[in-house]
C-alpha cells in the first residue's frame, strides 16, 4: 500500500495514472473514488462496482466480504506475464474515515487477495492514516506533492502540453508567476484557453499578450 497526498491541483492523480500505465500497461488496475465520507457498507458497494461483479450486492456484511475476497483471489491469467497483482487506485482518499481505511486494510491482509492499493488524496488523507497505527504501519511509501518550484516549472511544463513545448522559458515563468503558481491544474486551464486562441489569431506560439488574455479567462 502507498499514499500519495498533497494540495488540490498539484498533479497527484495525473502522475499516478501515468506511472501505472508505464509500470503496468496491461495490468489489472481498478479505480474507485468517493465524494463523501463513506461507511464500510459504501466501500463494499464501491468495490463491488469497481470489480464489475454480476448480480445484486449481498445484503449481509459477512456474505459481502466473502464475495469480495473470493473475487480478489481470482486474478486474471490471460494478461501478459501470467497472473499479476490487482491494483486498486483509490482516488479522493481524503474522504475516507478510519472505518473505511480499516476495511481496505482487512482486504489487503487477506493472503489470497494479492492486492496493491494506492491511496490518492488531499492532506486529510495522510492525517487520517497516521491516526490508524495498524494501517499506517502497512503503508510502504508516502509521497507528498507540493507546488512546482520555478526550476521544476521550466523543466516539466514544456513536457506537459504541446502549448508549452515551444514557448519561450521567460513566458512559461511569466505564466507561473502571474497565474499558475506551480499548480498543474491552473496550467492545464491556461492551456485549454490558450490553444484555441492560438488558432484564432494564427500565432505559432504563446506570447505575453495572449497569456494576459488567458489570465482574464481563469475563474
Amino acid at each position: 500500500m502507498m499514499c500519495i497526498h498533497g494540495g488540490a491541483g498539484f498533479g497527484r492523480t495525473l502522475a499516478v495514472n501515468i506511472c501505472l500505465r508505464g509500470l503496468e500497461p496491461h495490468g489489472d488496475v481498478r479505480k474507485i473514488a468517493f465524494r463523501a465520507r463513506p461507511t464500510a457498507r459504501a466501500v463494499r458497494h464501491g468495490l463491488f462496482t469497481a470489480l464489475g461483479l454480476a448480480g445484486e450486492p449481498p445484503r449481509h456484511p459477512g456474505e459481502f466480504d466473502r464475495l469480495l475476497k473470493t473475487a480478489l483471489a481470482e486474478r486474471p491469467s490471460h494478461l501478459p506475464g501470467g497472473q499479476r497483482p490487482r491494483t486498486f487506485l483509490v482516488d479522493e482518499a481524503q474522504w475516507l474515515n478510519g472505518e473505511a481505511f480499516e476495511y481496505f486494510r482487512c482486504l489487503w491482509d487477506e493472503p489470497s487477495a494479492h492486492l496493491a492499493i494506492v491511496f490518492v488524496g488531499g492532506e486529510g488523507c495522510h492525517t487520517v492514516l497516521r491516526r490508524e497505527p495498524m494501517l499506517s504501519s502497512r503503508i510502504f511509501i508516502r509521497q507528498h506533492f507540493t507546488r512546482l518550484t520555478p526550476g521544476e516549472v521550466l523543466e516539466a511544463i514544456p513536457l506537459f502540453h504541446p502549448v508549452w513545448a515551444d514557448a519561450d522559458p521567460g513566458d512559461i515563468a511569466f505564466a507561473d508567476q502571474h497565474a499558475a503558481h506551480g499548480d498543474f491544474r491552473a496550467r492545464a486551464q491556461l492551456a485549454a484557453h490558450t490553444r484555441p486562441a492560438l488558432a484564432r489569431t494564427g500565432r505559432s506560439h504563446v506570447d505575453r499578450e495572449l497569456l494576459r488574455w488567458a489570465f482574464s479567462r481563469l475563474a
Side-chain angles (χ1 to χ4, degrees):
M1 287 190 284
M2 65 186 299
C3 176
I4 309 295
H5 64 105
F10 291 176
R12 305 179 311 257
T13 303
L14 171 68
V16 169
N17 282 325
I18 290 174
C19 287
L20 284 174
R21 283 199 297 269
L23 290 170
E24 289 287 343
H26 304 291
D28 187 10
V29 179
R30 306 298 176 105
K31 299 178 182 179
I32 183 171
F34 301 99
R35 304 299 176 185
R37 300 194 180 280
T39 61
R41 180 178 182 274
V43 172
R44 289 184 181 96
H45 280 265
L47 293 171
F48 183 92
T49 301
L51 289 168
L53 300 180
E56 293 295 323
R59 294 187 178 183
H60 192 277
E63 183 184 354
F64 212 148
D65 293 345
R66 285 192 296 273
L67 174 66
L68 291 175
K69 290 177 181 180
T70 299
L72 290 173
E74 296 172 351
R75 301 186 301 279
S77 59
H78 66 278
L79 299 176
Q83 292 188 341
R84 294 170 177 238
R86 177 179 278 113
T87 300
F88 274 123
L89 169 54
V90 184
D91 205 1
E92 303 296 344
Q94 72 273 8
W95 292 111
L96 299 180
N97 54 24
E99 179 188 20
F101 274 124
E102 177 65 13
Y103 191 78
F104 277 108
R105 182 192 69 80
C106 290
L107 291 180
W108 186 84
D109 279 349
E110 184 68 23
S112 63
H114 204 47
L115 180 65
I117 303 177
V118 183
F119 295 113
V120 182
E123 302 292 3
C125 170
H126 185 242
T127 302
V128 176
L129 279 173
R130 286 188 299 179
R131 292 200 298 262
E132 302 292 332
M134 291 184 67
L135 178 62
S136 183
S137 65
R138 288 164 169 78
I139 301 297
F140 180 62
I141 295 173
R142 295 174 177 83
Q143 181 66 54
H144 185 209
F145 272 54
T146 60
R147 293 182 185 275
L148 294 175
T149 66
E152 289 169 338
V153 165
L154 294 178
E155 180 181 358
I157 294 305
L159 305 174
F160 175 51
H161 192 282
V163 162
W164 312 113
D166 299 322
D168 184 276
D171 291 333
I172 292 176
F174 177 79
D176 190 63
Q177 294 164 6
H178 291 83
H181 309 296
D183 188 308
F184 255 108
R185 188 168 296 157
R187 184 67 68 164
Q189 291 172 340
L190 279 176
H193 289 300
T194 301
R195 191 170 185 174
L198 286 171
R200 286 197 302 269
T201 60
R203 302 182 189 190
S204 60
H205 58 276
V206 298
D207 55 33
R208 299 200 179 188
E209 179 184 8
L210 193 147
L211 285 172
R212 289 190 181 93
W213 174 84
F215 298 164
S216 70
R217 310 298 294 176
L218 296 178

